[in-house]
Amino acid sequence: MVAPMLMAQMPASPDSQYGRSPVLPSKAEQLFALANQARAENGLGRLRWDPALAAGALQHCLRMVREGPIAHRYAGEPDLTERAAQAGAHFSLIEENIAVGAYPASIHQGWMNSPDHRANLLNPAIDRVGVAVVASGGVLYAVADYAHAVQMLTSAQVEAVFAGMLRAKGIAILKDASTARAYCGSSGRFSGTNPPDLMIRWENSDLTQLPSDLAKRVASGAYRQAAVGSCPAQDVEGAFTVYRVAVLLYGASAAAFPSR
């Protein structure tokens, strides 16, 4: 999600210091502090600084300076999700505010006075931000990229997270994950030698809880063992970080398999 461009009010006499330091980390830090102050005043959680988001924001901010008229995307430039991902950010949600103005305070106030910009800044779902400010022509160009960060995990780590949640529910985890991995990466039916009683494939960025359908099945008490496999996500739009997991559940009547 992005907000419309914003032209913050400018003074009659621009501050000449801007021409001596085109990239201004201190001004970006001011916008960062003002954003967290506004969120605190509205009962929202504090944003953490994300260096990767800031790097992507700076690339775009410099492009805005070169282009003149500000925009969220220029010809030949990656979109917001690709730009942030190329800078090293991992996220399930991302949005952006841009502006040109005289001071950080006036830019922040302009964002707060604009419904779309305010909604981005005060979105309760975001937890990270990267801000860039560049000076040119006596004014400040600003970009703030807000995101909900996703921890970058390997397939083995994803499997371990799911296995831990299932063990906490009394499910034994099979040592051999190859069958679950194969099912995860396929779009067809199960093709292994030990057909499970239930198969679930799932894609999401949130690995803090079991999918609701899987949690209900596990809570039924009908299953004793599970194989867990992870694989690359499929059909994900943009550069969002999404995990794909397959869980094969075996009931009480199934033959015992080696577990761990």
Side-chain angles (χ1 to χ4, degrees):
M1 176 182 177
V2 296
M5 65 189 68
L6 182 67
M7 301 289 290
Q9 184 177 3
M10 303 175 202
S13 300
D15 190 336
S16 61
Q17 69 172 321
Y18 297 163
R20 298 199 300 267
S21 181
V23 179
L24 304 172
S26 64
K27 305 297 183 184
E29 290 170 3
Q30 289 179 39
L31 282 173
F32 173 55
L34 288 166
N36 275 324
Q37 179 181 329
R39 288 177 66 86
E41 291 170 352
N42 286 271
L44 298 170
R46 180 179 178 82
L47 299 177
R48 292 177 57 186
W49 183 267
D50 189 307
L53 288 176
L58 178 57
Q59 291 176 5
H60 185 64
C61 202
L62 291 168
R63 181 69 182 266
M64 291 200 309
V65 170
R66 292 197 302 270
E67 296 285 347
I70 64 174
H72 287 286
R73 188 181 186 185
Y74 299 100
E77 183 185 34
D79 66 13
L80 172 60
T81 61
E82 291 290 343
R83 174 169 22 103
Q86 289 174 7
H90 299 279
F91 47 86
S92 60
L93 166 70
I94 190 165
E95 51 197 26
E96 179 175 83
N97 283 352
I98 61 175
V100 59
Y103 308 108
S106 64
I107 290 173
H108 172 76
Q109 193 57 51
W111 284 343
M112 292 299 291
N113 291 339
S114 163
D116 288 332
H117 293 85
R118 180 186 177 92
N120 283 349
L121 196 154
L122 298 182
N123 186 344
I126 62 172
D127 57 12
R128 301 288 191 277
V129 66
V131 185
V133 176
V134 177
S136 180
V139 296
L140 300 178
Y141 291 77
V143 176
D145 289 344
Y146 312 96
H148 179 82
V150 175
Q151 184 179 7
M152 190 59 185
L153 301 176
T154 65
S155 291
Q157 289 172 326
V158 172
E159 292 171 3
V161 169
F162 257 75
M165 289 190 288
L166 288 168
R167 284 196 195 94
K169 303 292 185 181
I171 302 295
I173 304 302
L174 302 183
K175 291 182 178 180
D176 185 1
S178 59
T179 303
R181 290 170 185 162
Y183 178 66
C184 179
S186 73
S187 57
R189 297 180 178 180
F190 176 80
S191 58
T193 57
N194 299 310
D197 295 297
L198 180 69
M199 302 177 291
I200 293 180
R201 267 192 300 246
W202 180 78
E203 284 192 1
N204 205 295
S205 299
D206 182 8
L207 298 182
T208 62
Q209 57 186 355
L210 295 173
S212 58
D213 186 40
L214 176 59
K216 291 177 182 177
R217 297 302 185 99
V218 169
S220 71
Y223 306 98
R224 295 174 53 188
Q225 293 181 315
V228 179
S230 178
C231 61
Q234 301 178 8
D235 301 323
V236 179
E237 295 183 4
F240 297 98
T241 299
V242 176
Y243 298 108
R244 183 177 174 91
V245 182
V247 176
L248 311 182
L249 289 172
Y250 296 86
S253 60
F257 304 115
S259 302
R260 54 182 168 87

